[in-house]
Every structure is written in C-alpha cells, then in structure tokens.
Amino acid sequence: MNGRATGPLVLAVETSCDETGVALVEDGRRIHANVVASQVALHAASGGIVPEVAARAHLRWIVPVLDSAWQDAGAGWNDVGAVAVTYGPGLAGSLLVGINFAKSLAWVHDKPLLAVNHLEGHVYAAWLADPGSEPEQPVFPLVALVVSGGHTFLVEMTDHLSYRLLGTTLDDAAGEAFDKVGRLLGLGYPGGPAIQRAASAATGGDIAFPRAWLGDSYDFSFSGLKTAARRIVERARADEGLPPDDPDARLAEATVARLARGFQDAVVDVLATKTIRAAEACHARSIVLGGGVAANLALRERLAAEAEARRLPLIVPRPGLCTDNGAMIGAAGARRLAAGERAGLDLDARPSLPLARRLIAAQSRG
Ligand code: KG4
Ligand code: ZN
C-alpha cells in the first residue's frame, strides 16, 4: 500500500494489445497502483497475438485487475477525479473492452472521461515516479524515441501534448523485427526479451547485420534487416549441417547467442545514432525513450553513454513502465485533464490513431 494521495487520482485503463492494465496515478506522476495482467503466456503457444483471444482475455481480467489496483492504492472512488482510457492505436476488439469498461465506470460514478493515445502514454511514462522515488523529469524541448511492437518513431516536443514527427519506420516496427528474428532463432514469443537474454551470453559481436541508414533522414526501415537475418540464419544452419526447415533441429546455443547479439547491435546502432542526431539538430534539453523495446538493456546502455557524453539528460522509465501499462495512460490522461479535455460517452476505438503527422518534408529534417 502506498502513501495516501493528497490530490485526486486518475484511474487509467489500458487494453490496446495483450496487457490488461489498470492504474491509479496522482498529478500525472505519482503511481499509487499499476496492475498489469500479461497475456504473454496465452499467446506464446501461437507464436503471436490472436486478436479474438486477446479481447476475451481482457474481458476475463479487467475486473480483477481493477480490484487489485484499489487494494494496492488503498483508495476508492472518492479519491478519483477522472477516468482515462486508451482509445488507439491498437487491436479494435481489445481497445473496445477497455473503452466500454472506462465509459461505464465514468458514467456510473459521474467522473470525467479522458481519451488517451497509447503512443502518447509511452512518451508520458517518462514523467512517472514510483512511490518514494523522485526521478529526474524531462525538460523541453525534448526528443522522444518510441519503440514498441507496432511503432517506431522520433518526435520533438517543445511543450506538453505537442508533437512534431521527425521520422518513423517505413515498414516494420523495431519490436516487430525483434519478434520475427526471435522466431527465426527458435527463441519463441515475444522475441525482444528472448533476444536480449540470448545476446547477453555471446562472447563476441562478430556477425555483422546490415543497418538501413536512409541517408540523413530520421526515418527507419527494418524489413531489409529481417530479410538479411533470414539469410544469415539459413547459412548458419547449413554450416552446422541442419536441415533447413526442421524446427526441432536447433542451432548450437553459442551460434544463437552470436546471431542474437549481431542482430541486436544493428537495431540498437540505428536507433541510438538517429536519436542522438535528432536531439542535436533540435537543440533538445532532454531525451525520452519509451515503448516495449526501450526495455532493452543494450539500447538503454548505448543511449545512456551517448547522452552522457553530450551532457544530455536521458529519461528512460524502468522496464515495467516501458512495456504496456495503465500508469502511462494515467500520466498522459492527467495532462489532458489539466488542458480541459473531456471525452464523450460516444468515444470509439481508433485502431490506426497516429500520434503526430509529418508536417512538410523540409521540417521533418529538423
Ligand atoms: O510497447 P509494447 O509493450 O507493446 C506495444 O505497444 O507494441 O511493446 C512490445 C514489444 C514486443 O515487440 C517485444 O518483443 C518488445 O516490445 N520488447 C523488447 C524487450 N522487451 C519487450 N524488445 C527488445 N528487448 C527487450 N528487452
Ligand atoms: Zn505499447
């Protein structure tokens, strides 16, 4: 149980993908509860998310998750000032479970409803603080790199809730590449944490994977890397005399480690290099990192070293706040509440909701 809230709490609901999250957040910053029911085990068998299965699991877990959030916070409806919910982007069926749940709660308890963009939540995780901690806060102007399973982009923020898109992926998201290459290496779902674990056992980063620099743009592309990974894995299998498509004939553990390390290095190199370049071009006073792939240790360490060399504060939430959770939606929701925003009970799911659109080409180069 946490210290009692001194101000109203935002009750936040996140069900955009495969995590059922409910949180209670004060001031857009202090976490009083942040309960996440993960469906990872449920989707591991199929090697990826099955949308109908995900939506049904949200329905099954959302009430117990809310109950446990009340318990963790030692709070009740009298402490709540608003209900925030993710309305996109994400899986339509999953989003609808959270939206309808939040709407019902807001209506029954007569609280304002706030619609939050999931990607904005990933950015605002940088403002969160666990009980008893006072981490450094981001300062504007800042550059934020959001890297998740469905999204990879760089934005500049000169103030709260204002985004200028600097660059985005032209094909796969970084997390998607981790998941696909994880599968190629026989590491299972989700690939990101598994590749990180395998890579940490590598003795040398001696297998070179290609980097798509795309000139001086801040855009990303990971599909070529994915194709190269398939070729490199096939060659490694041939070298070890394994049949090409027998999943039970597995590469030696040391080979998997070296391949995982080479792949991870390539992704981290491109993400970190472009982020630092964008931060310098925008004269950023801080860098924010968010999204599931921001949980990656190699990425965190590389960016921390590069940012420190430039005396740029780097704000990276702890791994549990980088992957999907309700607290990040509460953090963003509180800003929207303060800005006077309210959503209606006609709020609908927006599966392809963007965070920011590119302005004009000349501006996107910073
Ligand atoms: O943000 P998130 O939890 O869900 C989406 O909004 O997509 O991100 C999930 C993604 C998955 O692709 C997963 O493989 C990746 O984040 N991920 C990681 C790590 N932990 C999660 N990727 C690399 N290293 C990690 N440690
Ligand atoms: Zn996410």
Side-chain angles (χ1 to χ4, degrees), residues 32-122:
H32 286 257
N34 187 26
V35 181
V36 178
S38 172
Q39 303 177 10
V40 162
L42 192 61
H43 299 294
S46 49
I49 298 164
V50 180
E52 289 77 7
V53 174
R56 268 202 301 275
H58 286 305
L59 264 180
R60 163 70 184 85
W61 288 107
I62 193 119
V63 172
V65 167
L66 172 64
D67 285 343
S68 118
W70 289 133
Q71 272 177 25
D72 284 0
W77 277 107
N78 286 340
D79 304 306
V80 171
V83 177
V85 64
T86 305
Y87 74 115
L91 302 168
S94 291
L95 287 165
L96 281 171
V97 174
I99 291 172
N100 288 324
F101 187 63
K103 274 188 200 173
S104 315
L105 294 176
W107 185 69
V108 168
H109 298 281
D110 198 21
K111 306 286 179 186
L113 180 69
L114 304 161
V116 175
N117 182 314
H118 178 79
L119 304 171
E120 180 166 78
H122 276 307

Side-chain angles (χ1 to χ4, degrees), residues 14 16-19 118-119 122 147-151 174-179 189-196 264 290-297 322-325 328:
E14 155 64 41
S16 68
C17 193
D18 60 344
E19 320 277 2
H118 178 79
L119 304 171
H122 276 307
V147 266
S148 74
H151 300 268
E176 213 173 336
F178 267 102
D179 292 338
Y189 172 86
I195 286 182
Q196 175 180 316
Q264 180 176 267
V293 180
N296 185 271
L297 210 62
C322 288
T323 47
D324 292 351
N325 65 87
M328 67 186 202

Side-chain angles (χ1 to χ4, degrees), residues 15 30 40 91-92 123 139 156-157 175 189 191 198 218 221 235 247 249 252 259 281 298-299 335 346:
T15 64
R30 265 178 288 284
V40 162
L91 302 168
V123 173
V139 280
E156 179 193 17
M157 289 177 77
Y189 172 86
Y218 298 124
S221 166
R235 203 176 315 132
L259 291 167
L299 177 61
R335 297 285 169 187
D346 58 350

